[in-house]
Amino acid sequence: MPDDIPIPTDTPYRWGEWQTGSIMQYKLHVNGRDHTVDVDDDTPLLWVLRDEIELKGTKFGCGAGLCGACTVHIDGAPVRSCTTPISNIGSAAVTTIEGIGDTPIGARLQKAWLDVDVVQCGYCQGGQIMSAAALLTRNHAPSDDDIDSAMNGNICRCGTYARIRQAIKQAARTDLGSAATKKRT
Ligand code: FES
Ligand code: FES
């Protein structure tokens, strides 16, 4: 690696540095299914999802909580799985990009993502949708500022930010439309 690329020094986990604890058995509830894994107690959730449970949609980007590519939900809250040790999960429900489409908000977002043709290389987009789903869960009609604030930690090297914002707005409008329909019937 060139000398002039800064390396974060204040992060709890870096590639290859988590295998210092002791092997434990953990039961995880992921996307509505139970899994049992035997891993070091400080293994980041990201690697348990990818390597133990074979859910590869959650991506490794920075490994330091800085890019958002690894975003999943724990009991509905967005978290960076690269800096979340497996020992912190307990009995919480984990949702990944593979499972978010089973929720009404996730399904609306995925449709909007396709309608708007958001994706370029796609690497960041799982994390983007997970953050967007968390936003629309707590705010059904986000303003531009709300969207920018919620999505601020999700980096897209392809620069798809404008289309991401457009897709979130479409999904939010769909939500308002279905609420109005419910009211009329
Ligand atoms: S890989 Fe987790 S925030 Fe970048
Ligand atoms: S679509 Fe390529 S990094 Fe976001």
Side-chain angles (χ1 to χ4, degrees):
M1 180 178 288
D3 291 340
D4 57 349
I5 295 179
I7 298 173
T9 56
D10 58 347
T11 57
Y13 302 104
R14 298 245 220 101
W15 176 268
E17 289 185 353
W18 60 84
Q19 293 184 340
T20 55
S22 52
I23 297 283
M24 301 276 289
Q25 187 170 84
Y26 292 93
K27 294 187 189 309
L28 279 183
H29 193 65
V30 182
N31 299 334
R33 297 184 59 186
D34 292 324
H35 301 268
T36 301
V37 296
D38 295 305
V39 292
D40 281 310
D41 56 9
D42 51 359
T43 305
L45 175 61
L46 170 65
W47 300 114
V48 175
L49 293 171
R50 289 184 58 84
D51 294 344
E52 304 293 328
I53 304 180
E54 299 290 329
L55 292 173
K56 306 286 190 183
T58 305
K59 302 300 187 193
F60 172 79
C62 63
L66 301 172
C67 75
C70 67
T71 303
V72 300
H73 293 183
I74 296 180
D75 281 344
V79 301
R80 305 300 193 229
S81 62
C82 70
T83 53
T84 304
I86 186 70
S87 55
N88 280 14
I89 307 300
S91 60
V94 178
T95 307
T96 71
I97 187 64
E98 289 89 349
I100 197 67
D102 294 336
T103 69
I105 287 174
R108 285 202 307 275
L109 280 166
Q110 289 180 339
K111 180 179 184 310
W113 243 248
L114 291 173
D115 289 348
V116 175
D117 201 9
V118 170
V119 174
Q120 196 159 319
C121 83
Y123 197 83
C124 73
Q125 297 293 333
Q128 303 279 4
I129 288 176
M130 296 307 290
S131 290
L135 167 64
L136 290 189
T137 298
R138 66 178 185 274
N139 181 350
H140 289 195
S143 65
D144 285 353
D145 285 348
D146 293 335
I147 293 173
D148 291 347
S149 172
M151 304 302 292
N152 187 36
N154 286 81
I155 307 301
C156 176
R157 295 193 64 169
C158 300
T160 63
Y161 300 111
R163 296 199 297 276
I164 287 171
R165 186 197 271 184
Q166 187 182 340
I168 292 172
K169 286 183 170 180
Q170 175 178 314
R173 280 196 299 274
T174 308
D175 182 49
L176 290 174
S178 65
T181 303
K182 270 186 203 153
K183 234 179 174 175
R184 283 198 299 273
T185 56

